[in-house]
Each structure stands twice: as structure tokens, then as C-alpha cells.
Amino acid sequence: MRLRFLGSTSEAGACPSLYETDRGTIVVQGLQVVDTEALSDLRHVLEGETAIEVPRELLSDIARRVLP
């Protein structure tokens, strides 16, 4: 799998950041959610999955600029 950087709301392109893959999916780089109360609200978490917190502004900015 190859990644193409889409953008970040952080200084110097640090996390959180979004990437597009050559498989047509999105990869999120950011801080892992470790708050046990928040994690208990997740549904159907499969082995190998985790939760990453991303600012709303980053998602809306990337959606406007990159996604068709």
C-alpha cells in the first residue's frame, strides 16, 4: 500500500494528518484515544482496530479540497 499526504491542521504537517491510499481508502495519523470511558462508547471494535481523534476542521477541509 502506498500513501499520499492529503493535509493536516498541525504545524509543519505533524499529526493529525490524513492520507489517501492507492487502494481508495483514507489513513488517519493522530493521537490514539486512550480514555477508557470514551473507548467504551465505541461499537464493534475488531482486533487490530483503534480510535484516533481528528479535528472536525481537518476532515471538512480535506473533503472540500480533495474528495470528488
Side-chain angles (χ1 to χ4, degrees), residues 30-68:
L31 296 175
Q32 181 178 358
V33 176
V34 294
D35 181 281
T36 54
E37 188 174 2
L39 291 172
S40 71
D41 293 331
L42 294 175
R43 299 179 184 182
H44 313 294
V45 179
L46 301 176
E47 186 175 331
E49 291 183 333
T50 192
I52 305 295
E53 188 172 9
V54 178
R56 182 183 299 263
E57 306 84 49
L58 176 57
L59 295 176
S60 60
D61 179 54
I62 296 303
R64 279 193 305 277
R65 290 189 302 112
V66 177
L67 300 176

Side-chain angles (χ1 to χ4, degrees), residues 2-37:
R2 299 298 310 201
L3 302 178
R4 181 175 70 91
F5 179 75
L6 295 177
S8 176
T9 54
S10 299
E11 297 285 326
C15 66
S17 299
L18 296 180
Y19 300 82
E20 179 178 33
T21 73
D22 57 359
R23 302 187 317 190
T25 58
I26 301 295
V27 170
V28 179
Q29 172 191 355
L31 296 175
Q32 181 178 358
V33 176
V34 294
D35 181 281
T36 54
E37 188 174 2

